[in-house]
């Protein structure tokens, strides 16, 4: 059993992973994916938006999985599917967030659909990696 509790602050962990990504931003063989599992509404929403906008030029993606029955509508803003995220007038360089609500994959009496959940969680990672590589002038290595 995992006990989740608040406050729910995302910006410290995003900034922490961004420091690692910053070290490797000239190396196309390193890309970071941060998985955040949350049962609550973000308590540092504005700081989180700022951290994500700042990290949007780095080799990283953030996957957020919402568990429980909270209202996760604010997470859709972070996802960037309906327009690029912005903070303090600065636009994100690219979309680096994928938000998925776990409850959408729970089937009544049958548990949860792991395959569909995995597909949704990882859906944007390939395009996010490619957009980062393209924006930084990196080309895929030829197959050997």
């Amino acid at each position: 059993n995992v006990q989740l509790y608040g406050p729910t602050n995302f910006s410290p962990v995003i900034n922490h992973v961004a420091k690692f990504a910053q070290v490797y931003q000239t190396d196309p063989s390193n890309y970071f994916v941060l998985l955040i599992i949350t049962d609550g509404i973000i308590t540092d929403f504005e700081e989180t938006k700022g951290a994500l906008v700042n990290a949007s030029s780095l080799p990283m993606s953030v996957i957020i999985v919402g568990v429980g029955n909270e209202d996760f509508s604010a997470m859709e803003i972070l996802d960037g599917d309906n327009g690029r995220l912005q903070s303090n007038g600065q636009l994100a360089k690219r979309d680096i967030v994928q938000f998925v609500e776990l409850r959408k994959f729970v089937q009544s009496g049958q548990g949860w659909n792991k395959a569909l959940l995995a597909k949704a969680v990882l859906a944007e990672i390939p395009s996010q990696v490619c957009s980062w590589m393209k924006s930084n002038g990196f080309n895929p290595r030829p197959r050997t």
Side-chain angles (χ1 to χ4, degrees):
N1 253 348
V2 175
Q3 181 68 33
L4 302 174
Y5 60 94
T8 305
N9 295 320
F10 287 2
S11 64
V13 72
I14 293 167
N15 289 329
H16 183 75
V17 173
K19 287 178 186 175
F20 287 100
Q22 192 169 24
V23 171
Y24 290 97
Q25 63 186 338
T26 59
D27 180 359
S29 66
N30 285 280
Y31 192 90
F32 297 82
V33 179
L34 171 62
L35 172 63
I36 299 174
I37 300 172
T38 183
D39 71 340
I41 297 170
I42 303 174
T43 51
D44 68 338
F45 190 74
E46 292 303 316
E47 293 86 352
T48 295
K49 286 190 339 183
L52 291 168
V53 167
N54 290 337
S56 66
S57 64
L58 298 173
M60 69 178 280
S61 294
V62 180
I63 299 169
I64 304 170
V65 178
V67 299
N69 295 317
E70 286 291 338
D71 175 11
F72 292 112
S73 56
M75 302 290 188
E76 297 296 341
I77 295 168
L78 301 179
D79 194 316
D81 287 345
N82 297 319
R84 276 193 293 166
L85 183 64
Q86 59 179 319
S87 175
N88 296 321
Q90 184 181 359
L91 278 176
K93 302 278 189 258
R94 60 193 182 88
D95 175 21
I96 65 168
V97 177
Q98 171 69 342
F99 172 68
V100 176
E101 277 188 80
L102 180 65
R103 68 178 165 224
K104 292 182 178 177
F105 300 90
V106 175
Q107 299 166 333
S108 179
Q110 300 176 26
W112 46 291
N113 190 320
K114 295 173 189 168
L116 286 179
L117 174 63
K119 182 178 179 182
V121 164
L122 299 173
E124 294 183 9
I125 298 296
S127 64
Q128 290 173 352
V129 171
C130 289
S131 73
W132 177 78
M133 290 186 77
K134 183 177 180 181
S135 68
N136 287 279
F138 296 121
N139 294 314
R141 293 182 184 153
R143 292 186 181 188
T144 55

